[in-house]
Amino acid sequence: MQRYILHRALTLFFSLAVASLALFLLLRALPGDPTNALISVGMDPAQVEVIQASLHVNDSLLIQYFSWIRDALTFDFGESFVGYFPVGDEIISRLNVTLPLTFIAFFFAALVGSLFGFVAAYKRNTFIGTFFSGISQLGSAVPAFWVGIILIQSFAIKRPLFPSGGFPVEGWATPGEAIRSFTLPVLTIVIVMSASISRYVRTISLEILDSEYVRTARSLGQPRLKAILVHGSRNALSTLMPIFAIELATTFIGAVVIESVFALPGLGSLLIKGIAQHDYPVIQSVLILTTTAVLIIGFIADVLTHMADPRLLKARR
Amino acid sequence: MKKRFKWSFLIGATVLALFIAIAVLSLIWTPYSIDDSSGERLAPPSSAHLFGTDTLGRDLLTRAMIGCRIAMQVGLLATLLGGLLGISLGIASGFARKYLDGLAASTLDIVIAFPTLLIAMLLVASMGASLQSAILAISLGIAASLARITRTLTKRVVALDFITAAQISGGSTLSIAFKHVLPNIWPAILANLSLQFGLAGLAEASLSYLGLGAPPPHASLGNLLQESQETAFIAPAGAIVPGILLIALVLSMNFVADGIRERLDPLLARKS
């Protein structure tokens, strides 16, 4: 097991290196020189050189890459080309919105999704089972931003129970206001994500219900529900873990869309604005941070999966 | 059970056929021309404009038809491209051993680390917003998720005893992959592929809603929703119709997928 974790950590490190290099090169391969954004008409060549030196564009790509990584490790992401704000500070303030949104929404989505999926499988061929799998089918077919639009229509405009968008300026210092502006976005994500999670849970639960070890346990006199929960949960875990990791990452990245619908000042809206304004320090920093987060989520999920299912360790040899 | 499967499959297949018909029809005929803005602005549904008009007075039925065509186009291209790439990579890496296995795992980890939206944003940042970059991004996303799922499934099957037996009796890796692994994991993969077809339409809508997909003169369903969000209170049809169309597309793909799976899954077939 330790060997596996060490191996997987090395893989994580290697992945991070390759991903960051690929990201760096892709953004460098863009048509046009990033300095163009900072050079205005009528600057003399000396001024242009100062700007170019400040951006290190004349260094070799490799040196640029390593100095970028070195700065990023100390959380120095440079300055925005457009707003001249330090990107690192801006990211931290944006994470105050995006991280709670992601985790609260994912927690409820996983809870609701697992419950619905299990009931849909456990009660299959009955009205309840069909009803639950029908709901989750409908839910996973609905575009998230459309749910958001409809929720705004129904609960912010027709009946003004919640704000239609935005986030209090004081942030979490005014928890009541913050929670009120979070309600509809969280609800939107939960509706969409729980539906997709419950479909996976249903499939896996069906597999377990039909498995031979559950039949054996039943034949030894265990009640059906107990046989499934005791023997099935661990098997389910090893299959569900990678899926949950992907779903968590999807929620995190999907927050971009929800932030746009509800005009929340999160990481996603920062990135979208950055892309629209060709603000490379912002694009590059947000992308490398999200990539790192997703890679680490995958690492943790893989380790947990192998803890739950030692057969996978055996299969490696 | 069997009865329910038949009608849901029938409904799914019918709706899918309708979508295909609309997509093909929109190539040769639409009620109005795409850029005809002669209608009254934000008109409610009427006999002249079945779904009403948008803020520029363009016919929404025309735009919705073209939106369906774009969604189908994206779904088909992205699933084909992503499926081929993902399944072959997934099976190959499921069989890989030692450092090849590690290499496959880390490569997959890197690709999977870029959810579709993230890849799309990267591509848009470098190539500009277009339908092509949207399709490319979506198919890469599909490939990554299919490769990962196929790899997990393959590894689980490969760990079983009958694969060892096949190896001992001298089967080559390729023949084991096709004879033993693929038939066992195929239903799950096919179900996933058909889900992905519908989801590709959804993903394109999300991208163009964010302004990262087909740029505005295009009438993708996401563009329609984005344009109608501000005016949804005055002209609700503009926000409701594209949403319903997207849901219908994804649902019908799900129904078709379920039908195919119930036909093909060896475990399910034995039971009924």
Side-chain angles (χ1 to χ4, degrees):
Chain A
M1 194 64 218
Q2 282 96 336
R3 261 192 65 198
Y4 174 73
I5 295 177
L6 188 71
H7 175 87
R8 189 60 186 75
L10 278 175
T11 312
L12 173 68
F13 177 77
F14 181 70
S15 317
L16 277 172
V18 174
S20 57
L21 190 62
L23 209 144
F24 177 83
L25 290 178
L26 256 173
L27 288 176
R28 281 300 172 290
L30 303 180
D33 188 332
T35 41
N36 287 345
L38 292 178
I39 297 171
S40 47
V41 188
M43 275 185 171
D44 59 56
Q47 283 174 302
V48 173
E49 255 172 48
V50 169
I51 289 172
Q52 284 179 335
S54 77
L55 295 173
H56 307 289
V57 282
N58 294 328
D59 296 345
S60 77
L61 276 180
L62 210 62
I63 290 176
Q64 283 188 51
Y65 172 73
F66 280 115
S67 66
W68 172 52
I69 293 291
R70 193 193 54 218
D71 291 346
L73 285 176
T74 56
F75 220 75
D76 172 9
F77 289 111
E79 258 188 6
S80 157
F81 279 179
V82 180
Y84 301 109
F85 51 80
V87 177
D89 295 352
E90 184 66 14
I91 286 176
I92 290 179
S93 97
R94 299 285 183 142
L95 281 176
N96 277 330
V97 174
T98 301
L99 282 187
L101 180 67
T102 305
F103 283 115
I104 296 173
F106 183 74
F107 173 76
F108 285 112
L111 204 67
V112 174
S114 304
L115 197 69
F116 274 37
F118 181 73
V119 172
Y122 191 69
K123 293 272 181 193
R124 74 173 141 175
N125 299 339
T126 70
F127 174 74
I128 298 174
T130 314
F131 178 73
F132 273 88
S133 52
I135 282 192
S136 75
Q137 275 217 336
L138 189 65
S140 59
V142 180
F145 55 95
W146 192 67
V147 175
I149 294 174
I150 299 294
L151 284 181
I152 291 175
Q153 285 294 314
S154 336
F155 298 109
I157 295 177
K158 279 189 187 150
R159 279 167 294 266
L161 299 171
F162 299 101
S164 65
F167 195 69
V169 188
E170 296 85 14
W172 292 101
T174 51
E177 289 299 300
I179 288 173
R180 261 168 53 88
S181 49
F182 252 39
T183 310
L184 292 184
V186 166
L187 194 59
T188 307
I189 299 178
V190 170
I191 289 175
V192 176
M193 293 309 292
S194 69
S196 105
I197 290 176
S198 82
R199 289 177 63 84
Y200 287 116
V201 174
R202 178 175 174 269
T203 313
I204 290 155
S205 305
L206 281 178
E207 252 170 49
I208 290 167
L209 287 170
D210 296 335
S211 66
E212 315 217 313
Y213 53 84
V214 166
R215 197 196 303 159
T216 309
R218 292 274 291 129
S219 72
L220 292 171
Q222 273 188 16
R224 186 163 172 243
L225 193 61
K226 192 184 164 201
I228 293 159
L229 291 181
V230 169
H231 299 281
S233 50
R234 189 160 168 168
N235 282 283
L237 217 58
S238 71
T239 320
L240 273 179
M241 205 70 77
I243 292 167
F244 269 43
I246 294 174
E247 299 282 304
L248 178 60
T250 311
T251 311
F252 182 50
I253 307 300
V256 174
V257 187
I258 305 305
E259 282 167 10
S260 297
V261 178
F262 290 94
L264 290 172
L267 207 59
S269 30
L270 180 68
L271 179 56
I272 295 285
K273 210 169 91 187
I275 290 177
Q277 297 175 332
H278 301 282
D279 195 347
Y280 293 115
V282 168
I283 302 175
Q284 186 167 293
S285 317
V286 176
L287 286 180
I288 191 66
L289 271 184
T290 33
T291 307
T292 308
V294 179
L295 283 173
I296 290 175
I297 293 172
F299 167 73
I300 296 172
D302 271 2
V303 170
L304 290 178
T305 307
H306 281 76
M307 280 178 171
D309 194 347
R311 278 176 303 180
L312 291 172
L313 282 177
K314 225 168 154 189
R316 293 177 56 82
R317 282 177 208 132
Chain B
M1 192 70 190
K2 201 141 198 211
K3 213 171 187 180
R4 194 184 71 87
F5 138 62
K6 270 181 184 157
W7 68 249
S8 71
F9 179 75
L10 198 69
I11 291 177
T14 313
V15 174
L16 185 63
L18 267 174
F19 267 101
I20 296 172
I22 291 172
V24 173
L25 180 65
S26 77
L27 285 172
I28 44 175
W29 179 84
T30 47
Y32 293 82
S33 100
I34 307 172
D35 37 9
D36 179 352
S37 51
S38 61
E40 196 188 328
R41 290 176 179 193
L42 292 174
S46 65
S47 55
H49 300 281
L50 216 52
F51 292 157
T53 57
D54 69 1
T55 29
L56 297 176
R58 293 175 293 192
D59 180 48
L60 274 176
L61 175 60
T62 304
R63 292 174 66 71
M65 282 174 71
I66 293 162
C68 289
R69 185 179 77 209
I70 294 178
M72 297 295 287
Q73 205 181 326
V74 171
L76 194 67
L77 286 175
T79 322
L80 267 179
L81 219 66
L84 271 177
L85 191 63
I87 295 170
S88 15
L89 279 178
I91 292 188
S93 70
F95 271 101
R97 290 273 178 280
K98 292 185 185 154
Y99 68 79
L100 261 183
D101 184 38
L103 190 68
S106 40
T107 313
L108 266 179
D109 274 329
I110 293 170
V111 184
I112 205 86
F114 292 84
T116 311
L117 205 54
L118 206 56
I119 304 174
M121 291 190 280
L122 190 63
L123 287 179
V124 167
S126 59
M127 293 165 55
S130 71
L131 201 56
Q132 282 85 343
S133 35
I135 292 175
L136 195 60
I138 294 169
S139 56
L140 285 179
I142 291 177
S145 108
L146 265 155
R148 185 126 187 197
I149 289 164
T150 312
R151 179 169 183 269
T152 312
L153 289 167
T154 306
K155 283 195 117 151
R156 281 207 301 174
V157 173
V158 168
L160 297 175
D161 287 339
F162 76 96
I163 296 292
T164 318
Q167 278 162 343
I168 290 169
S169 55
S172 72
T173 305
L174 201 64
S175 83
I176 291 174
F178 277 104
K179 263 198 216 147
H180 301 296
V181 177
L182 208 53
N184 277 290
I185 62 175
W186 179 239
I189 288 180
L190 192 65
N192 200 273
L193 263 184
S194 52
L195 282 180
Q196 299 286 358
F197 185 101
L199 294 180
L202 271 192
E204 195 281 322
S206 309
L207 289 178
S208 39
Y209 175 81
L210 289 172
L212 305 177
H218 280 280
S220 133
L221 293 174
N223 287 336
L224 296 188
L225 281 169
Q226 197 271 326
E227 285 159 16
S228 66
Q229 189 179 358
E230 301 295 316
T231 54
F233 204 49
I234 314 163
I240 292 171
V241 170
I244 304 265
L245 283 173
L246 276 172
I247 296 171
L249 175 65
V250 181
L251 271 187
S252 65
M253 287 314 297
N254 289 1
F255 283 165
V256 170
D258 284 350
I260 294 172
R261 182 169 45 188
E262 276 174 55
R263 264 285 166 76
L264 295 184
D265 197 322
L267 284 170
L268 285 168
R270 212 185 300 147
K271 239 167 287 148
S272 51

